[in-house]
Amino acid sequence: MAFVPAPGYQPTYNPTLPYNKPIPGGLSIGMSVYIQGVASDHMKRFFVNFVVGQGPGSDIAFHFNPRFDGWDKVVFNSQQNGQWGSEERKKSMPFRKGSPFELVFMVLAEHYKVVVVNGNPFYEFGHRLPLQMVTHLQVDGDLELQSINFIGGQPPPNQVPMAIPAYPVSTPWRGPVSPENMEGPPTFNPPVPFIGRLQGGLTARRTIIIKGYVPPTAKSFIINFKVSSTRDTALHINPRMTENAVVRNSHLNGSWGSEERKISYNPFGPGQFFDLSVRCGMDRFKVYANGQHLFDYSHRFSDFQRVDMVEIQGDVTLSYVQI
């Protein structure tokens, strides 16, 4: 069965360079563009362009350009009719050669906000071209891409829009709710241990998205889907890097059940990013990692609607959680 992403969530894994693809549904207020990659050991520069069209000579609404050139900096600009505009610079380099990075662009009404560069707000670039004109994203340079995700905004036809609040998420979400997938707002870079509440409980076809990074020295971490009133654990996911295993189990009425370990591949390697999607079905959980089916887990706790808490702890760094 192919992975069907949740509304407003458009992942591309291991894209090749140069990357030059349409933005699903076009650019709109509330959209986030989430990029994971690794800076080259010999990195001199790379760029991310928000472009009007795909062909050569297209206008560039926003040009994001880190440069290692002895005066390490990040350059911001736009290009119209073949001419660059006035250059904005920040003499700060959030990227390290040979190191993984995460980069989030939020599209707001007045500017692009480089929301997160490895966990820190970085820059705001005012709109010089109407954002509704932007149709494509370009990425190229001295880097390796691991994933590009388009989150929120106006999705393609036949998909339900999913609104996203401004970073950081700090107040209860009162906006529209997707009828069948993710119901809460995304949280960027939550601390570990993490506890998230599933408002209304775990319903069929609801999907939880967890993005993170496994530190090189990590030994183990856990993801639990629990009933807060009884502390029962309907699904316990336990990647164990020391055993090269992903253990699944349930803890019901004070006792652990039988472990499940069979898996076709293990996405939780030391020093690796992962993108986990846990979808609740009527008779099982279906779990995907990095766009590929990872495992199914039949419900042992039949009243799964009572599951109202997601708990994450251990040797993991979280970058994005949507419940």
Side-chain angles (χ1 to χ4, degrees):
M1 177 179 175
F3 173 48
V4 179
Y9 178 80
Q10 301 291 326
T12 300
Y13 300 98
N14 301 308
T16 57
L17 294 174
Y19 177 92
N20 186 6
K21 297 290 181 64
I23 296 171
L27 203 64
S28 58
I29 293 173
M31 177 175 280
S32 293
V33 181
Y34 187 105
I35 299 174
Q36 292 177 316
V38 179
S40 166
D41 289 331
H42 308 289
M43 177 182 168
K44 293 183 178 178
R45 62 178 62 188
F46 73 88
F47 66 81
V48 178
N49 287 340
F50 292 79
V51 188
V52 181
Q54 188 173 20
S58 296
D59 285 349
I60 300 172
F62 179 29
H63 172 72
F64 175 86
N65 180 209
R67 300 178 183 177
F68 285 89
D69 55 6
W71 300 89
D72 294 351
K73 59 186 173 291
V74 180
V75 172
F76 314 87
N77 209 336
S78 61
Q79 187 181 72
Q80 297 180 9
N81 302 317
Q83 301 293 318
W84 286 107
S86 58
E87 195 171 83
E88 300 177 25
R89 299 184 176 193
K90 182 167 182 177
K91 293 183 179 179
S92 173
M93 180 52 66
F95 306 99
R96 292 189 300 165
K97 294 181 181 181
S99 295
F101 66 83
E102 298 173 304
L103 184 58
V104 179
F105 298 93
M106 287 200 76
V107 183
L108 304 180
E110 297 181 352
H111 52 254
Y112 298 89
K113 187 170 185 178
V114 185
V115 181
V116 179
V117 178
N118 293 347
N120 297 305
F122 189 69
Y123 199 77
E124 294 176 355
F125 182 84
H127 293 303
R128 300 181 184 179
L129 290 172
L131 63 91
Q132 293 83 0
M133 295 174 62
V134 175
T135 59
H136 285 70
L137 185 76
Q138 296 177 345
V139 185
D140 202 6
D142 303 325
L143 78 163
E144 173 189 339
L145 286 176
Q146 295 183 336
S147 72
I148 296 179
N149 295 352
F150 299 96
I151 306 167
Q154 298 299 318
N158 303 321
Q159 286 196 325
V160 180
M162 180 187 70
I164 285 185
Y167 172 90
V169 177
S170 58
T171 56
W173 180 239
R174 305 298 183 194
V177 171
S178 165
E180 57 170 49
N181 295 86
M182 303 174 292
E183 298 192 12
T187 302
F188 292 100
N189 300 289
V192 177
F194 170 87
I195 294 178
R197 297 288 179 178
L198 290 162
Q199 298 298 326
L202 192 59
T203 54
R205 298 196 294 179
R206 186 166 182 172
T207 299
I208 286 80
I209 301 293
I210 302 168
K211 297 171 178 284
Y213 175 71
V214 181
T217 58
K219 296 180 179 179
S220 171
F221 70 92
I222 63 171
I223 301 169
N224 289 330
F225 288 77
K226 303 181 77 167
V227 180
S228 60
S229 60
T230 64
R231 311 303 292 180
D232 281 342
T233 302
L235 172 59
H236 169 80
I237 304 173
N238 178 206
R240 300 178 186 176
M241 280 59 76
T242 55
E243 302 177 28
N244 191 30
V246 181
V247 176
R248 291 89 67 190
N249 208 336
S250 297
H251 189 266
L252 306 175
N253 301 315
S255 299
W256 286 105
S258 58
E259 290 186 349
E260 297 182 16
R261 289 179 172 241
K262 186 177 180 180
I263 207 165
S264 57
Y265 72 105
N266 188 349
F268 303 108
Q272 295 295 311
F273 287 108
F274 65 86
D275 185 343
L276 198 67
S277 169
V278 182
R279 185 177 176 89
C280 180
M282 290 299 296
D283 59 352
R284 73 191 68 185
F285 290 96
K286 298 188 74 68
V287 179
Y288 296 81
N290 305 337
Q292 300 180 54
H293 180 255
L294 188 61
F295 63 83
D296 288 353
Y297 186 84
S298 296
H299 289 310
R300 302 182 188 178
F301 185 76
S302 58
D303 195 10
F304 60 82
Q305 295 88 349
R306 292 176 57 203
V307 174
D308 60 357
M309 185 170 70
V310 177
E311 176 185 74
I312 306 171
Q313 55 183 293
D315 303 326
V316 66
T317 299
L318 297 176
S319 57
Y320 176 99
V321 177
Q322 174 118 38
I323 62 173

